[in-house]
Amino acid sequence: MKDIKAVIFDLDGTLLDSMYVWHYVDEKFLEKRGLKAPDDYAKQCSHRSFYETALYTIDLFGFTCTPEELMQEWTELAIEEYKNNVPLKKNAKETLLLAKKLGYKLAVCTSLTRELFLPALERHGLIHMFDMLMSSAEFGKGKQYPDVYKAIAESFGLSPCQCVMCDDVSASLMGAKSAGLLTIGIIDKNSAQDIEEMKKYSDKLIYEFDENVFQF
């Protein structure tokens, strides 16, 4: 880690213990239409941006609504939960403080829109800790692609190999890895991710943050 200058964190399932929110949103949204999600629905959506997930869902179920209408309905279901109830993952705040102490720049790279994640970060007092907040929904390309990680590194004036990505989704780890970043895979108990697949794209794989998280 001697050459590392920045650490990038995912939110859902990495810093925020929030995976249940999207299961709740999926269930309520599809129940209303008398539908049930396929077994791989959560996995298929996990690495896509919010907009890409809406497009995928419309195509999957043959909906006639626009992606914007779909995203608005999902947002209304989720926003109150993020604002009022979503907790942090174990040792998340301590890990951010450790990264700051070690002198790393900190960034968020999430598929969530700001209206969802900002209230949660504010409630937990974490906003001031980050040097950058990047939403792939705003960036316009999902986290399975290397583009967003390269953009973050460039904005810090760094090369991708000077950055680490912490994420709980194998496709996002793959995107970060292909961009040239070091990767730390976080195994989330509520995730649909295949651990063996995560291993392929993780330089380090952990179940929870601890004081040794940045030791390779």
Side-chain angles (χ1 to χ4, degrees):
M1 291 287 288
K2 63 184 178 64
D3 298 321
I4 296 300
K5 305 297 183 185
V7 184
I8 305 168
F9 291 92
D10 171 53
L11 291 181
D12 276 342
T14 299
L15 289 180
L16 298 178
D17 197 0
S18 52
M19 297 304 292
Y20 76 93
V21 176
W22 295 106
H23 295 310
Y24 165 80
V25 168
D26 290 342
E27 285 177 5
K28 292 297 181 184
F29 169 79
L30 292 173
E31 264 179 24
K32 182 179 175 182
R33 292 160 173 80
L35 297 169
K36 187 176 180 181
D39 291 340
D40 68 339
Y41 181 72
K43 184 176 180 180
Q44 289 296 327
C45 294
S46 63
H47 62 274
R48 288 177 161 86
S49 71
F50 207 34
Y51 186 80
E52 289 170 335
T53 298
L55 288 175
Y56 170 73
T57 303
I58 288 169
D59 182 62
L60 179 65
F61 293 104
F63 295 147
T64 58
C65 60
T66 66
E68 290 77 13
E69 289 169 339
L70 201 55
M71 290 188 293
Q72 184 58 39
E73 185 170 347
W74 284 339
T75 298
E76 289 170 0
L77 285 168
I79 197 165
E80 286 303 313
E81 192 66 21
Y82 276 95
K83 182 178 180 180
N84 299 313
N85 298 317
V86 167
L88 292 176
K89 294 291 287 288
K90 184 178 179 181
N91 295 328
K93 190 166 189 176
E94 291 80 0
T95 298
L96 294 174
L97 289 169
L98 174 61
K100 279 290 190 185
K101 182 179 179 181
L102 293 170
Y104 301 139
K105 293 280 190 182
L106 299 185
V108 161
C109 183
T110 179
S111 297
L112 297 174
T113 58
R114 288 175 186 262
E115 61 188 330
L116 287 170
F117 74 79
L118 285 178
L121 292 181
E122 287 169 354
R123 177 163 52 86
H124 290 294
L126 301 183
I127 285 284
H128 70 285
M129 301 184 74
F130 294 101
D131 302 286
M132 177 183 297
L133 300 171
M134 173 69 80
S135 167
S136 63
E138 296 172 0
F139 185 75
K141 206 162 187 181
K143 291 170 61 184
Q144 71 270 37
Y145 301 105
D147 308 60
V148 66
Y149 311 103
K150 290 180 178 179
I152 293 172
E154 184 178 354
S155 72
F156 281 151
L158 302 173
S159 108
C161 66
Q162 293 177 293
C163 304
V164 176
M165 179 66 194
C166 300
D167 207 298
D168 67 306
V169 174
S170 58
S172 299
L173 293 164
M174 177 187 68
K177 194 75 178 161
S178 66
L181 282 73
L182 275 175
T183 54
I184 299 175
I186 315 295
I187 300 171
D188 183 88
K189 64 182 183 298
N190 295 314
S191 175
Q193 298 299 302
D194 183 322
I195 294 176
E196 291 304 313
E197 187 176 0
M198 290 182 70
K199 285 180 181 177
K200 295 178 186 177
Y201 308 113
S202 300
D203 293 297
K204 183 173 185 175
L205 196 60
I206 62 176
Y207 281 90
E208 60 185 36
F209 291 118
D210 60 28
E211 66 274 9
N212 299 314
V213 61
F214 300 124
Q215 295 178 18
F216 283 79

